[in-house]
Amino acid sequence: MMYIWLSAYIADTAGYVFAKSGILHYTITPAMVPSDIPIKLNTKSFEGIVPALYKAYPDMPINLAVNNTAPMTANVTETLITGAIPGTVHVLVQQPNGTVVEAFVLGALIHVNATAGTHTTNNKVYVSAKATYMYTDLQLISSNIGTFNVAVLDIAVNALATLGVIPFINSYTVPGIEIPMVDGVALLNPTLQMGPGYVMIATDFNYS
């Protein structure tokens, strides 16, 4: 039996690499919102939430540009990996003449919960994570439509960010990180266990 220990530092390092590479810059467009979701990326959907947005740009499509502004910090517990990602959400309105204007910018601290596991592909073992839940703490950074109560946007932005951002995060984390092995060593029947600040993999192995 072999035991492999991984600390939260691995996740923090991955967050640093993602932040520096620009990978965590993502735009949610109207086409990405499922038809059964009542909130649409159109100023009409926000008429009762942010009236000034609809008044300035009546019935126009919106894009949400989500940008990571600093590296993610991670924590590991017995059941979950939690992460905090500082960022911004730029609310961009597409005008009929084709130009895009920035209506306002929100500061967002994005909190993500994830589960961890292992999988084997082509005789290689990978540690992966899958985001399962996300919510954001919002604040108004700048606005071209006047000031308003950001709290009214919590439900809408969290719902739309969850729809767009969680699949995007999982596209990078679900494939996983390969556990490096020396030539001739194969891991067999790996199991994963989490604890405060660490992930432990217990596995049999074969050497040939």
Side-chain angles (χ1 to χ4, degrees):
M1 180 70 69
M2 177 189 297
Y3 297 94
I4 302 170
W5 298 78
L6 305 173
S7 73
Y9 175 77
I10 300 293
D12 287 342
T13 302
Y16 177 83
V17 172
F18 287 159
K20 290 299 182 181
S21 68
I23 287 175
L24 297 180
H25 292 188
Y26 189 66
T27 299
I28 305 171
T29 66
M32 296 168 64
V33 180
S35 59
D36 59 341
I37 299 298
I39 302 171
K40 305 300 181 185
L41 276 181
N42 187 290
T43 58
K44 180 66 176 176
S45 287
F46 292 84
E47 182 178 8
I49 303 173
V50 186
L53 176 63
Y54 181 77
K55 183 178 180 180
Y57 308 107
D59 201 18
M60 298 182 194
I62 297 171
N63 287 344
L64 300 180
V66 183
N67 299 316
N68 172 228
T69 56
M72 175 188 73
T73 57
N75 183 49
V76 182
T77 70
E78 289 85 352
T79 56
L80 284 174
I81 299 173
T82 61
I85 309 171
T88 56
V89 179
H90 297 248
V91 178
L92 308 174
V93 179
Q94 303 175 47
Q95 298 188 100
N97 63 5
T99 61
V100 176
V101 295
E102 184 176 88
F104 54 89
V105 181
L106 301 172
L109 183 59
I110 303 171
H111 302 271
V112 179
N113 291 352
T115 57
T118 62
H119 64 272
T120 302
T121 303
N122 296 326
N123 296 320
K124 297 178 180 179
V125 177
Y126 295 80
V127 179
S128 62
K130 183 177 182 179
T132 57
Y133 175 73
M134 190 189 82
Y135 68 96
T136 58
D137 294 326
L138 301 174
Q139 61 178 337
L140 185 63
I141 294 180
S142 64
S143 173
N144 292 317
I145 59 170
T147 59
F148 56 90
N149 183 6
V150 177
V152 300
L153 281 172
D154 278 348
I155 294 176
V157 170
N158 277 299
L160 292 167
T162 296
L163 286 169
V165 176
I166 282 186
F168 175 70
I169 292 173
N170 285 339
S171 70
Y172 286 94
T173 61
V174 169
I177 300 173
E178 180 186 349
I179 299 175
M181 283 289 114
V182 298
D183 290 342
V185 175
L187 303 183
L188 306 172
N189 306 314
T191 60
L192 183 145
Q193 178 181 334
M194 296 191 298
Y198 71 86
V199 172
M200 183 192 74
I201 300 167
T203 178
D204 295 324
F205 67 95
N206 181 55
Y207 178 74
S208 59

